[in-house]
Coordinates of all heavy atoms in Angstrom, one line a residue:
V430 N 0.9 -1.2 0.0 CA 0.0 0.0 0.0 C 0.9 1.2 0.0 O 1.8 1.4 0.8 CB -0.9 0.0 1.2 CG1 -1.7 1.3 1.3 CG2 -1.9 -1.2 1.2
L431 N 0.6 2.2 -0.9 CA 1.4 3.4 -1.0 C 1.0 4.4 0.1 O -0.2 4.5 0.3 CB 1.2 4.1 -2.4 CG 1.7 3.3 -3.6 CD1 1.3 4.1 -4.9 CD2 3.2 3.2 -3.6
S432 N 1.9 5.0 0.7 CA 1.6 6.1 1.6 C 1.1 7.3 0.9 O 1.4 7.5 -0.3 CB 2.7 6.4 2.6 OG 3.8 7.0 1.9
D433 N 0.3 8.1 1.6 CA -0.4 9.3 0.9 C 0.6 10.3 0.3 O 0.2 11.0 -0.6 CB -1.3 10.0 1.9 CG -2.6 9.3 2.0 OD1 -2.9 8.4 1.2 OD2 -3.4 9.6 2.9
D434 N 1.8 10.4 0.8 CA 2.7 11.4 0.3 C 3.6 10.9 -0.9 O 4.4 11.7 -1.4 CB 3.6 11.9 1.5 CG 4.4 10.8 2.1 OD1 4.1 9.6 1.9 OD2 5.4 11.1 2.9
V435 N 3.4 9.7 -1.3 CA 4.1 9.2 -2.5 C 3.6 9.8 -3.8 O 2.4 9.9 -4.0 CB 4.1 7.7 -2.6 CG1 4.6 7.1 -3.9 CG2 4.8 7.0 -1.4
I436 N 4.5 10.4 -4.6 CA 4.0 10.9 -5.9 C 3.8 9.8 -6.8 O 4.7 9.0 -7.1 CB 5.1 11.9 -6.4 CG1 5.1 13.2 -5.5 CG2 4.8 12.3 -7.9 CD1 5.9 14.3 -6.0
V437 N 2.6 9.7 -7.3 CA 2.2 8.7 -8.3 C 2.3 9.2 -9.7 O 2.9 8.5 -10.5 CB 0.7 8.3 -8.0 CG1 0.2 7.3 -9.1 CG2 0.6 7.6 -6.6
C438 N 1.9 10.4 -10.0 CA 2.1 11.0 -11.3 C 3.2 12.0 -11.2 O 3.0 13.1 -10.7 CB 0.8 11.6 -11.8 SG 0.9 12.5 -13.3
R439 N 4.3 11.6 -11.8 CA 5.5 12.4 -11.7 C 5.4 13.7 -12.6 O 5.9 14.7 -12.2 CB 6.8 11.6 -12.1 CG 7.3 10.7 -11.0 CD 8.5 10.0 -11.4 NE 8.2 9.0 -12.4 CZ 9.1 8.3 -13.1 NH1 10.4 8.6 -12.9 NH2 8.8 7.4 -14.0
C440 N 4.8 13.5 -13.7 CA 4.6 14.7 -14.6 C 3.9 15.8 -14.0 O 4.2 17.0 -14.1 CB 3.9 14.2 -15.9 SG 4.8 13.0 -16.9
E441 N 2.8 15.5 -13.3 CA 1.9 16.5 -12.7 C 2.1 16.6 -11.2 O 1.3 17.4 -10.6 CB 0.4 16.2 -13.1 CG 0.1 16.3 -14.6 CD 0.3 17.8 -15.1 OE1 0.0 18.7 -14.3 OE2 0.6 17.9 -16.3
E442 N 3.0 15.8 -10.6 CA 3.3 15.8 -9.2 C 2.0 15.6 -8.4 O 1.7 16.4 -7.5 CB 4.0 17.1 -8.8 CG 5.4 17.3 -9.5 CD 6.1 18.5 -9.0 OE1 5.6 19.3 -8.3 OE2 7.3 18.6 -9.4
V443 N 1.3 14.6 -8.7 CA 0.1 14.2 -8.0 C 0.4 13.0 -7.0 O 1.0 12.0 -7.4 CB -1.0 13.8 -8.9 CG1 -2.3 13.5 -8.2 CG2 -1.3 14.9 -10.0
T444 N 0.0 13.2 -5.7 CA 0.4 12.2 -4.7 C -0.8 11.1 -4.7 O -1.9 11.4 -5.1 CB 0.5 12.8 -3.4 OG1 -0.7 13.4 -3.0 CG2 1.6 13.9 -3.4
A445 N -0.4 10.0 -4.0 CA -1.4 9.0 -3.8 C -2.5 9.5 -2.9 O -3.7 9.2 -3.1 CB -0.7 7.8 -3.1
G446 N -2.2 10.4 -2.0 CA -3.2 11.0 -1.1 C -4.2 11.8 -1.9 O -5.4 11.8 -1.6
E447 N -3.7 12.6 -2.9 CA -4.6 13.4 -3.7 C -5.5 12.5 -4.5 O -6.7 12.9 -4.7 CB -3.8 14.3 -4.6 CG -3.1 15.4 -3.8 CD -2.1 16.2 -4.6 OE1 -1.2 15.6 -5.3 OE2 -2.2 17.5 -4.7
I448 N -5.0 11.4 -5.0 CA -5.8 10.5 -5.8 C -6.8 9.8 -5.0 O -8.0 9.8 -5.3 CB -4.9 9.5 -6.6 CG1 -4.1 10.3 -7.6 CG2 -5.7 8.4 -7.2 CD1 -2.9 9.5 -8.2
R449 N -6.4 9.4 -3.8 CA -7.4 8.8 -2.9 C -8.5 9.8 -2.5 O -9.7 9.4 -2.4 CB -6.7 8.3 -1.6 CG -5.9 7.0 -1.8 CD -5.5 6.4 -0.5 NE -4.6 5.3 -0.8 CZ -3.3 5.3 -0.6 NH1 -2.7 6.3 -0.2 NH2 -2.6 4.2 -0.9
A450 N -8.1 11.0 -2.3 CA -9.1 12.1 -1.9 C -10.1 12.3 -3.1 O -11.3 12.4 -2.8 CB -8.4 13.4 -1.6
A451 N -9.6 12.2 -4.3 CA -10.5 12.4 -5.5 C -11.5 11.2 -5.5 O -12.6 11.4 -5.8 CB -9.6 12.5 -6.7
I452 N -11.0 10.0 -5.3 CA -11.8 8.8 -5.4 C -12.9 8.9 -4.3 O -14.1 8.7 -4.5 CB -11.0 7.5 -5.2 CG1 -10.0 7.4 -6.4 CG2 -11.9 6.3 -5.1 CD1 -8.9 6.4 -6.2
R453 N -12.5 9.3 -3.1 CA -13.5 9.5 -2.0 C -14.5 10.6 -2.2 O -15.6 10.5 -1.7 CB -12.7 9.7 -0.6 CG -12.0 8.4 -0.2 CD -11.2 8.6 1.0 NE -10.3 7.4 1.2 CZ -9.1 7.4 1.7 NH1 -8.6 8.5 2.2 NH2 -8.5 6.3 1.8
A454 N -14.1 11.5 -3.1 CA -15.0 12.6 -3.4 C -15.9 12.3 -4.6 O -16.7 13.1 -5.1 CB -14.2 13.9 -3.7
G455 N -15.7 11.0 -5.1 CA -16.7 10.6 -6.1 C -16.0 10.2 -7.5 O -16.7 9.7 -8.4
A456 N -14.7 10.4 -7.7 CA -14.1 10.1 -8.9 C -14.1 8.5 -9.0 O -13.4 7.9 -8.2 CB -12.7 10.7 -9.0
D457 N -14.8 8.0 -10.0 CA -14.9 6.5 -10.0 C -14.3 5.9 -11.3 O -14.6 4.7 -11.6 CB -16.4 6.1 -9.9 CG -17.3 6.7 -11.0 OD1 -16.7 7.5 -11.8 OD2 -18.5 6.4 -11.0
S458 N -13.5 6.6 -12.0 CA -12.8 6.1 -13.2 C -11.5 6.9 -13.4 O -11.3 7.9 -12.7 CB -13.7 6.3 -14.4 OG -13.8 7.7 -14.7
L459 N -10.7 6.3 -14.2 CA -9.4 7.0 -14.5 C -9.6 8.4 -15.1 O -8.9 9.3 -14.8 CB -8.5 6.1 -15.4 CG -8.0 4.8 -14.8 CD1 -7.1 4.1 -15.8 CD2 -7.4 5.0 -13.5
V460 N -10.6 8.5 -15.9 CA -10.9 9.8 -16.6 C -11.4 10.8 -15.5 O -10.9 11.9 -15.5 CB -12.0 9.6 -17.6 CG1 -12.4 11.0 -18.2 CG2 -11.5 8.7 -18.8
A461 N -12.2 10.3 -14.6 CA -12.7 11.2 -13.5 C -11.6 11.7 -12.6 O -11.5 12.8 -12.2 CB -13.8 10.5 -12.7
I462 N -10.7 10.7 -12.3 CA -9.5 11.1 -11.5 C -8.6 12.1 -12.2 O -8.1 13.0 -11.6 CB -8.7 9.8 -11.1 CG1 -9.6 8.9 -10.2 CG2 -7.4 10.1 -10.4 CD1 -9.0 7.5 -10.0
K463 N -8.5 11.8 -13.5 CA -7.6 12.7 -14.3 C -8.2 14.2 -14.3 O -7.5 15.1 -14.1 CB -7.6 12.2 -15.7 CG -6.7 13.0 -16.6 CD -6.9 12.6 -18.1 CE -6.2 11.4 -18.5 NZ -6.2 11.2 -19.9
R464 N -9.5 14.3 -14.4 CA -10.2 15.6 -14.4 C -10.0 16.3 -13.1 O -9.8 17.5 -13.0 CB -11.7 15.4 -14.7 CG -12.0 15.2 -16.1 CD -13.4 15.5 -16.4 NE -13.7 14.9 -17.7 CZ -14.5 13.9 -17.9 NH1 -15.1 13.3 -16.8 NH2 -14.7 13.3 -19.0
R465 N -10.0 15.6 -12.0 CA -10.0 16.2 -10.7 C -8.5 16.5 -10.3 O -8.3 17.5 -9.5 CB -10.6 15.3 -9.6 CG -12.1 15.4 -9.6 CD -12.6 14.3 -8.6 NE -14.1 14.2 -8.8 CZ -15.0 14.7 -7.9 NH1 -14.6 15.3 -6.9 NH2 -16.2 14.5 -8.2
T466 N -7.6 15.7 -10.7 CA -6.2 15.8 -10.1 C -5.2 16.2 -11.1 O -4.1 16.5 -10.8 CB -5.8 14.5 -9.4 OG1 -5.6 13.5 -10.4 CG2 -6.8 14.0 -8.4
R467 N -5.5 16.0 -12.4 CA -4.5 16.1 -13.5 C -3.6 14.9 -13.6 O -2.7 14.9 -14.5 CB -3.7 17.4 -13.5 CG -4.5 18.7 -13.6 CD -3.6 19.9 -13.8 NE -2.8 19.8 -15.0 CZ -3.2 20.1 -16.3 NH1 -4.4 20.5 -16.5 NH2 -2.4 19.9 -17.3
A468 N -3.7 13.9 -12.8 CA -2.9 12.7 -12.9 C -3.2 12.0 -14.3 O -4.3 11.7 -14.6 CB -3.2 11.7 -11.8
G469 N -2.1 11.9 -15.1 CA -2.3 11.3 -16.4 C -2.3 12.4 -17.5 O -2.4 12.1 -18.7
M470 N -2.3 13.7 -17.1 CA -2.3 14.7 -18.2 C -0.9 15.3 -18.5 O -0.8 16.3 -19.2 CB -3.2 15.9 -17.7 CG -4.7 15.7 -17.7 SD -5.5 17.2 -17.3 CE -7.2 16.7 -17.6
G471 N 0.1 14.7 -18.0 CA 1.4 15.2 -18.1 C 2.0 14.8 -19.5 O 1.4 14.3 -20.3
L472 N 3.3 15.1 -19.6 CA 4.1 14.9 -20.8 C 4.0 13.5 -21.3 O 3.9 13.2 -22.5 CB 5.5 15.3 -20.6 CG 6.3 15.8 -21.8 CD1 5.6 17.0 -22.4 CD2 7.7 16.2 -21.3
C473 N 4.0 12.5 -20.4 CA 4.0 11.1 -20.8 C 2.6 10.6 -21.1 O 2.4 9.4 -21.4 CB 4.7 10.2 -19.8 SG 3.7 9.8 -18.3
S474 N 1.6 11.4 -20.9 CA 0.2 11.1 -21.2 C -0.3 9.9 -20.3 O -1.1 9.1 -20.8 CB -0.1 10.8 -22.6 OG 0.3 11.9 -23.4
G475 N 0.2 9.7 -19.2 CA -0.2 8.7 -18.3 C 0.5 7.3 -18.5 O 0.2 6.3 -17.8
R476 N 1.4 7.3 -19.4 CA 2.1 6.0 -19.7 C 2.8 5.5 -18.4 O 2.9 4.3 -18.1 CB 3.2 6.1 -20.8 CG 2.6 5.8 -22.1 CD 3.6 5.8 -23.2 NE 4.1 7.1 -23.5 CZ 3.5 7.9 -24.4 NH1 2.4 7.6 -25.0 NH2 4.0 9.1 -24.6
T477 N 3.4 6.5 -17.6 CA 4.1 6.1 -16.4 C 3.1 5.8 -15.2 O 3.4 4.9 -14.4 CB 5.1 7.2 -16.0 OG1 5.8 7.6 -17.1 CG2 6.0 6.8 -14.9
C478 N 2.1 6.6 -15.1 CA 1.3 6.6 -13.9 C -0.1 5.8 -14.0 O -0.6 5.5 -12.9 CB 1.0 8.0 -13.4 SG 0.1 9.0 -14.5
S479 N -0.6 5.6 -15.2 CA -2.0 5.1 -15.2 C -2.2 3.8 -14.6 O -3.2 3.5 -14.0 CB -2.5 5.1 -16.7 OG -1.7 4.2 -17.4
R480 N -1.2 2.9 -14.6 CA -1.3 1.6 -14.0 C -1.4 1.8 -12.4 O -2.2 1.1 -11.8 CB -0.1 0.6 -14.3 CG -0.1 0.1 -15.6 CD -1.0 -1.1 -15.9 NE -0.8 -2.2 -15.0 CZ -1.6 -3.3 -15.0 NH1 -2.7 -3.3 -15.7 NH2 -1.4 -4.3 -14.2
L481 N -0.6 2.7 -11.9 CA -0.6 2.9 -10.5 C -1.9 3.6 -10.0 O -2.5 3.2 -9.0 CB 0.5 3.8 -10.1 CG 1.7 3.1 -9.5 CD1 2.8 4.2 -9.2 CD2 1.4 2.4 -8.2
V482 N -2.4 4.5 -10.9 CA -3.7 5.2 -10.5 C -4.8 4.1 -10.6 O -5.7 4.1 -9.7 CB -4.0 6.3 -11.5 CG1 -5.3 7.0 -11.2 CG2 -2.9 7.4 -11.4
A483 N -4.8 3.3 -11.6 CA -5.8 2.2 -11.7 C -5.7 1.3 -10.4 O -6.8 0.9 -9.9 CB -5.6 1.4 -12.9
R484 N -4.5 1.0 -10.0 CA -4.4 0.1 -8.8 C -5.0 0.8 -7.6 O -5.7 0.2 -6.8 CB -2.9 -0.2 -8.6 CG -2.7 -1.5 -7.9 CD -1.3 -1.8 -7.7 NE -0.8 -1.2 -6.4 CZ 0.5 -1.1 -6.0 NH1 1.4 -1.5 -6.8 NH2 0.8 -0.5 -4.9
L485 N -4.7 2.1 -7.4 CA -5.2 2.9 -6.3 C -6.8 2.9 -6.3 O -7.4 2.7 -5.3 CB -4.7 4.3 -6.3 CG -3.3 4.5 -5.8 CD1 -2.9 6.0 -6.0 CD2 -3.2 4.2 -4.3
L486 N -7.3 3.1 -7.5 CA -8.8 3.1 -7.7 C -9.3 1.7 -7.3 O -10.3 1.6 -6.6 CB -9.1 3.5 -9.1 CG -10.6 3.5 -9.5 CD1 -11.4 4.4 -8.6 CD2 -10.8 3.8 -10.9
A487 N -8.7 0.7 -7.8 CA -9.2 -0.7 -7.5 C -9.2 -0.9 -6.0 O -10.1 -1.5 -5.4 CB -8.3 -1.7 -8.2
E488 N -8.1 -0.5 -5.3 CA -8.0 -0.7 -3.9 C -9.1 0.0 -3.2 O -9.7 -0.5 -2.3 CB -6.6 -0.2 -3.4 CG -5.5 -1.2 -3.7 CD -4.1 -0.5 -3.3 OE1 -4.1 0.5 -2.7 OE2 -3.1 -1.2 -3.7
E489 N -9.3 1.3 -3.6 CA -10.2 2.2 -2.8 C -11.7 1.7 -3.0 O -12.4 1.8 -2.1 CB -10.1 3.6 -3.3 CG -8.9 4.3 -2.8 CD -9.0 4.5 -1.3 OE1 -10.0 4.9 -0.7 OE2 -7.9 4.2 -0.6
I490 N -12.0 1.2 -4.2 CA -13.4 0.8 -4.4 C -13.6 -0.7 -4.2 O -14.7 -1.2 -4.3 CB -14.0 1.3 -5.8 CG1 -13.2 0.6 -6.9 CG2 -13.9 2.8 -5.9 CD1 -13.8 0.9 -8.3
G491 N -12.5 -1.4 -3.9 CA -12.7 -2.8 -3.5 C -13.0 -3.7 -4.7 O -13.8 -4.6 -4.6
R492 N -12.5 -3.3 -5.9 CA -12.7 -4.1 -7.1 C -11.4 -4.6 -7.6 O -10.4 -4.0 -7.4 CB -13.5 -3.3 -8.1 CG -14.8 -2.8 -7.6 CD -15.7 -2.2 -8.7 NE -16.0 -3.2 -9.7 CZ -16.6 -2.9 -10.8 NH1 -16.8 -1.7 -11.1 NH2 -16.8 -3.9 -11.7
P493 N -11.4 -5.7 -8.4 CA -10.2 -6.2 -9.0 C -9.7 -5.2 -10.1 O -10.4 -4.5 -10.7 CB -10.6 -7.5 -9.7 CG -12.1 -7.5 -9.8 CD -12.6 -6.6 -8.8
L494 N -8.3 -5.2 -10.2 CA -7.7 -4.3 -11.2 C -8.3 -4.5 -12.6 O -8.4 -3.5 -13.3 CB -6.2 -4.5 -11.1 CG -5.3 -3.6 -11.9 CD1 -5.5 -2.1 -11.5 CD2 -3.8 -3.9 -11.8
A495 N -8.6 -5.7 -12.9 CA -9.1 -6.0 -14.3 C -10.4 -5.3 -14.5 O -10.8 -5.2 -15.7 CB -9.2 -7.5 -14.4
A496 N -11.1 -4.9 -13.5 CA -12.5 -4.3 -13.6 C -12.4 -2.8 -13.9 O -13.4 -2.2 -14.2 CB -13.3 -4.5 -12.4
I497 N -11.1 -2.3 -13.9 CA -11.0 -0.8 -14.1 C -10.8 -0.6 -15.6 O -9.9 -1.2 -16.2 CB -9.7 -0.3 -13.3 CG1 -9.8 -0.7 -11.8 CG2 -9.6 1.2 -13.5 CD1 -11.0 -0.1 -11.1
D498 N -11.6 0.3 -16.2 CA -11.5 0.6 -17.6 C -10.2 1.3 -17.9 O -9.7 2.1 -17.1 CB -12.6 1.5 -18.1 CG -13.9 0.7 -18.1 OD1 -13.9 -0.5 -18.3 OD2 -15.0 1.3 -17.9
P499 N -9.5 1.0 -19.0 CA -8.3 1.7 -19.3 C -8.5 3.2 -19.6 O -9.6 3.6 -19.9 CB -7.8 1.0 -20.6 CG -9.0 0.3 -21.2 CD -9.9 0.1 -20.0
P500 N -7.5 4.0 -19.4 CA -7.6 5.5 -19.7 C -8.0 5.7 -21.1 O -7.6 5.0 -22.0 CB -6.3 6.0 -19.3 CG -5.3 4.9 -19.4 CD -6.1 3.7 -19.1
S501 N -8.6 6.9 -21.3 CA -8.9 7.3 -22.7 C -7.6 7.6 -23.4 O -6.7 8.3 -22.8 CB -9.9 8.4 -22.8 OG -9.3 9.5 -22.0
A502 N -7.4 7.2 -24.7 CA -6.2 7.5 -25.4 C -6.3 8.8 -26.2 O -7.3 9.0 -26.9 CB -5.8 6.3 -26.3
R503 N -5.3 9.6 -26.0 CA -5.3 10.9 -26.8 C -4.0 11.0 -27.5 O -3.0 11.4 -26.9 CB -5.5 12.1 -25.9 CG -6.8 12.2 -25.2 CD -7.7 13.2 -25.9 NE -9.0 13.1 -25.4 CZ -9.4 13.9 -24.4 NH1 -8.6 14.7 -23.8 NH2 -10.7 13.8 -23.9
P504 N -3.9 10.5 -28.7 CA -2.6 10.6 -29.4 C -2.1 12.1 -29.5 O -2.9 13.0 -29.7 CB -2.9 10.1 -30.8 CG -4.3 9.8 -30.9 CD -5.0 10.1 -29.6
P505 N -0.8 12.3 -29.4 CA -0.3 13.6 -29.4 C -0.5 14.2 -30.8 O -0.4 13.6 -31.8 CB 1.2 13.5 -29.1 CG 1.5 12.1 -29.3 CD 0.2 11.3 -29.1
V506 N -0.9 15.5 -30.8 CA -1.1 16.2 -32.1 C 0.1 17.1 -32.3 O 0.5 17.9 -31.4 CB -2.4 17.0 -32.1 CG1 -2.5 17.8 -33.4 CG2 -3.6 16.1 -31.8
R507 N 0.7 17.0 -33.5 CA 1.9 17.8 -33.7 C 1.7 18.6 -35.0 O 1.2 18.1 -36.0 CB 3.2 16.9 -33.9 CG 3.6 16.2 -32.7 CD 5.0 15.7 -32.8 NE 5.4 15.0 -31.5 CZ 5.1 13.7 -31.3 NH1 4.6 13.0 -32.3 NH2 5.4 13.2 -30.2
P508 N 2.1 19.8 -35.0 CA 2.0 20.6 -36.3 C 3.0 20.0 -37.3 O 4.0 19.6 -37.0 CB 2.4 22.0 -35.9 CG 3.2 21.9 -34.6 CD 2.8 20.6 -33.9
I509 N 2.5 20.0 -38.6 CA 3.4 19.7 -39.7 C 3.4 20.8 -40.7 O 2.5 21.5 -40.8 CB 3.0 18.3 -40.4 CG1 1.5 18.5 -40.9 CG2 3.0 17.2 -39.4 CD1 1.2 17.3 -41.9
P510 N 4.6 20.9 -41.4 CA 4.6 22.0 -42.4 C 3.6 21.7 -43.5 O 3.4 20.6 -43.9 CB 6.1 21.9 -42.9 CG 6.8 21.0 -42.0 CD 5.8 20.1 -41.3
L511 N 3.1 22.8 -44.0 CA 2.1 22.7 -45.1 C 2.6 22.0 -46.3 O 1.9 21.3 -47.1 CB 1.6 24.1 -45.4 CG 0.1 24.2 -46.0 CD1 -0.9 23.5 -45.1 CD2 -0.3 25.7 -46.2
A512 N 3.9 22.2 -46.5 CA 4.6 21.6 -47.7 C 4.5 20.1 -47.7 O 4.4 19.5 -48.8 CB 6.1 22.0 -47.7
V513 N 4.4 19.5 -46.6 CA 4.3 18.0 -46.5 C 2.9 17.6 -47.1 O 2.9 16.7 -47.9 CB 4.3 17.6 -45.0 CG1 4.0 16.1 -44.9 CG2 5.7 17.8 -44.5
L514 N 1.9 18.4 -46.8 CA 0.6 18.1 -47.4 C 0.6 18.5 -48.9 O 0.0 17.7 -49.7 CB -0.5 18.8 -46.7 CG -0.7 18.5 -45.2 CD1 -1.7 19.4 -44.6 CD2 -1.2 17.0 -45.1
A515 N 1.2 19.6 -49.3 CA 1.2 20.0 -50.7 C 1.9 19.1 -51.6 O 1.6 18.9 -52.8 CB 1.9 21.4 -50.7
E516 N 2.9 18.3 -51.0 CA 3.6 17.4 -51.9 C 2.9 16.1 -52.2 O 3.2 15.3 -53.1 CB 5.0 17.0 -51.2 CG 6.0 18.1 -51.3 CD 7.2 17.9 -50.4 OE1 7.4 16.8 -49.9 OE2 7.9 18.9 -50.2
E517 N 1.8 15.8 -51.4 CA 1.0 14.6 -51.6 C 0.3 14.7 -53.0 O -0.3 15.7 -53.3 CB 0.0 14.4 -50.5 CG 0.7 13.8 -49.3 CD -0.3 13.3 -48.3 OE1 -1.5 13.2 -48.6 OE2 0.1 13.1 -47.1
K518 N 0.3 13.6 -53.7 CA -0.4 13.6 -55.0 C -1.8 13.1 -54.8 O -2.1 12.2 -54.0 CB 0.4 12.6 -55.9 CG 1.8 13.0 -56.1 CD 2.0 13.5 -57.5 CE 3.3 14.2 -57.6 NZ 4.3 14.5 -57.9
Ligands
FES1387 S1 3.5 10.3 -14.8 FE1 1.4 10.9 -14.9 S2 1.2 11.9 -16.8 FE2 3.3 11.3 -16.7

């Protein structure tokens, strides 16, 4: 069991305690936890922290880890030069 002061999401510096508080306040999915705490919104898009956040959620609500839906995927959007599109035939 992680203590409350352990940082779970390094990108957004969100602790286990903040995540537990969000769950106790009603966040019942990874998306809801993300909205309340920003855990998973950092540079790695949750690749580092989402498993841990899911584990905390499973522990708090007393369900198996497999019952937790995976986080929503948001592929990174990057600008590309217009010339790349103009060259397409
Ligand atoms: S560690 Fe949580 S978004 Fe990167």
Side-chain angles (χ1 to χ4, degrees):
V430 175
L431 293 176
S432 67
D433 279 348
D434 58 347
V435 169
I436 290 186
V437 171
C438 176
R439 284 183 285 171
C440 296
E441 295 292 331
E442 297 185 352
V443 183
T444 64
E447 289 171 308
I448 291 167
R449 286 191 183 105
I452 296 165
R453 288 173 192 152
D457 58 357
S458 67
L459 294 186
V460 174
I462 293 169
K463 186 192 279 190
R464 282 197 197 111
R465 283 174 190 254
T466 67
R467 296 192 58 82
M470 283 187 175
L472 209 58
C473 80
S474 304
R476 270 187 289 276
T477 310
C478 63
S479 62
R480 288 280 302 170
L481 258 179
V482 176
R484 208 181 86 192
L485 283 173
L486 177 59
E488 283 171 9
E489 283 296 313
I490 63 176
R492 300 189 63 191
L494 187 55
I497 306 297
D498 289 333
S501 58
R503 295 258 172 90
V506 177
R507 292 196 181 88
I509 59 168
L511 208 50
V513 172
L514 296 174
E516 285 170 14
E517 279 191 18
K518 301 251 168 116

